[in-house]
Amino acid sequence: MKTIKLFFSTLLVVIISAIGMTSCNDDDELKDKVIEVTMSVSDNTDIMYPLFDDNKENPIECMLVMEDGVDQTWRKMSFSMIEGFTYEKGHRYKLRAKKTILANPPADGSAWKYELVEVLEDKEITSPELPVETTIKSEADIAYEVQCPIEKYSVSSPIFVDGNGKMFNSEGNERPSYKNCRIYLNNVLNMTDPDSVKFNSTTYMARYAYVISPLSEQIRLVVASGGGPMMKYIVTEEDFRYITSTMKEGEQLTYILLLANVYKKGIQKLALTFVRK
């Protein structure tokens, strides 16, 4: 009888110990760590490559970021890495962000996640208008990427402009001001297209736009990353004054945006029309 009691007593101790160890393991389980950091974002960009792109065939334009209190060197980071932050080329930023250090990061991803808390500083350093090669004097001089032009992007057009410079879409909703309005490029690529995966690669992403203005013979090259080009880069201040002050009600101007990839090769041609309201 004593032997049986001793057996059950020992068994009870083992069970309790096992439960205790399990509780400890639960308490000691690795958890994500969240801290707040200050970050600098350069006005210059760089090129990075997807994780498994060993042959470096698909370059991706990216930001250069430096985190305060860490090694003071610029680190490459994708444009979408900081949730809630929209990068504009030619601008230098100071950000406050929430940084999540992942306890179990994915094998094919980053060990950190960032979420924008506040833009502390946004300073335009360089003009986003880039020099066009002297050989490009007309639309015919712009070389297209293989299998282009393709119908991948669309823009909301026309844009209605009144005499005070206020802008409205086709539904009558007011758009942001001239300096803050972005011309968003909507991806309308048919996903049933047999080449849809290829056409969504870097080679077929719009990073620049050649601007062909009805008021100028000069072709300008502007940045189109960040969702699309800013309107102030497409329409010069002089052109905008002409639209608001000289054009009569119902008159319209159409700009041609010849979208280009990271190699500045053409992808697709879009028309952006402005109508005097």
Side-chain angles (χ1 to χ4, degrees):
M1 183 65 70
K2 288 183 179 180
T3 302
I4 295 174
K5 286 184 178 180
L6 180 60
F7 170 77
F8 280 109
S9 298
T10 304
L11 180 61
L12 182 61
V13 170
V14 171
I15 293 173
I16 293 173
S17 298
I19 294 173
M21 289 177 66
T22 302
S23 300
C24 289
N25 287 337
D26 290 341
D27 292 339
D28 294 339
E29 183 182 350
L30 293 176
K31 296 181 180 179
D32 294 347
K33 181 180 179 181
V34 180
I35 59 175
E36 199 166 277
V37 297
T38 303
M39 311 170 71
S40 298
V41 183
S42 174
D43 49 298
N44 296 312
T45 59
D46 206 330
I47 293 294
M48 62 191 300
Y49 296 88
L51 182 61
F52 299 109
D53 187 8
D54 297 330
N55 296 324
K56 297 188 175 180
E57 296 175 340
N58 298 291
I60 303 171
E61 190 177 16
C62 64
M63 302 185 292
L64 290 171
V65 175
M66 187 186 297
E67 192 174 318
D68 289 4
V70 185
D71 185 23
Q72 295 300 290
T73 56
W74 292 109
R75 179 159 51 98
K76 297 179 182 181
M77 184 179 287
S78 71
F79 289 123
S80 60
M81 184 68 178
I82 305 175
E83 184 181 345
F85 173 63
T86 299
Y87 177 79
E88 188 174 333
K89 195 170 183 178
H91 285 238
R92 182 180 298 162
Y93 298 91
K94 195 80 169 178
L95 310 176
R96 192 153 54 88
K98 188 191 302 179
K99 178 180 180 180
T100 302
I101 304 170
L102 301 176
N104 295 295
D108 58 348
S110 173
W112 310 280
K113 289 197 307 184
Y114 293 90
E115 182 181 347
L116 179 68
V117 175
E118 182 183 4
V119 176
L120 301 174
E121 182 180 324
D122 176 359
K123 185 176 181 181
E124 186 171 2
I125 305 299
T126 59
S127 170
E129 187 174 321
L130 307 171
V132 177
E133 294 180 17
T134 54
T135 54
I136 298 178
K137 297 181 180 179
S138 69
E139 182 183 339
D141 295 326
I142 300 172
Y144 275 86
E145 186 59 63
V146 177
Q147 289 188 257
C148 287
I150 56 173
E151 294 298 318
K152 179 174 180 178
Y153 295 103
S154 71
V155 292
S156 297
S157 181
I159 296 174
F160 296 88
V161 186
D162 68 15
N164 297 316
K166 289 186 177 181
M167 295 181 291
F168 305 84
N169 62 20
S170 300
E171 288 74 39
N173 299 317
E174 187 172 350
R175 298 190 61 153
S177 67
Y178 167 76
K179 290 188 176 181
N180 297 312
C181 184
R182 186 181 293 277
I183 305 302
Y184 285 101
L185 301 175
N186 306 306
N187 192 334
V188 294
L189 182 68
N190 186 349
M191 297 309 293
T192 62
D193 189 304
D195 289 320
S196 62
V197 174
K198 177 180 179 179
F199 287 153
N200 275 307
S201 66
T202 301
T203 304
Y204 296 92
M205 289 182 183
R207 295 300 187 193
Y208 301 97
Y210 292 97
V211 178
I212 303 173
S213 166
L215 301 177
S216 172
E217 294 182 357
Q218 181 186 10
I219 293 179
R220 294 180 293 112
L221 181 64
V222 302
V223 173
S225 56
M230 298 296 289
M231 199 189 80
K232 62 184 178 181
Y233 304 154
I234 299 169
V235 181
T236 65
E237 289 189 21
E238 184 179 353
D239 285 6
F240 196 67
R241 281 195 298 270
Y242 175 83
I243 294 172
T244 57
S245 304
T246 305
M247 285 175 55
K248 296 178 181 178
E249 185 176 342
E251 280 191 86
Q252 63 183 45
L253 282 180
T254 298
Y255 288 74
I256 298 299
L257 304 181
L258 206 159
L259 305 179
N261 62 16
V262 68
Y263 306 110
K264 300 183 178 65
K265 286 189 175 182
I267 298 173
Q268 176 185 356
K269 184 166 63 174
L270 293 174
L272 180 64
T273 299
F274 294 86
V275 179
R276 180 67 161 80
K277 183 178 171 65

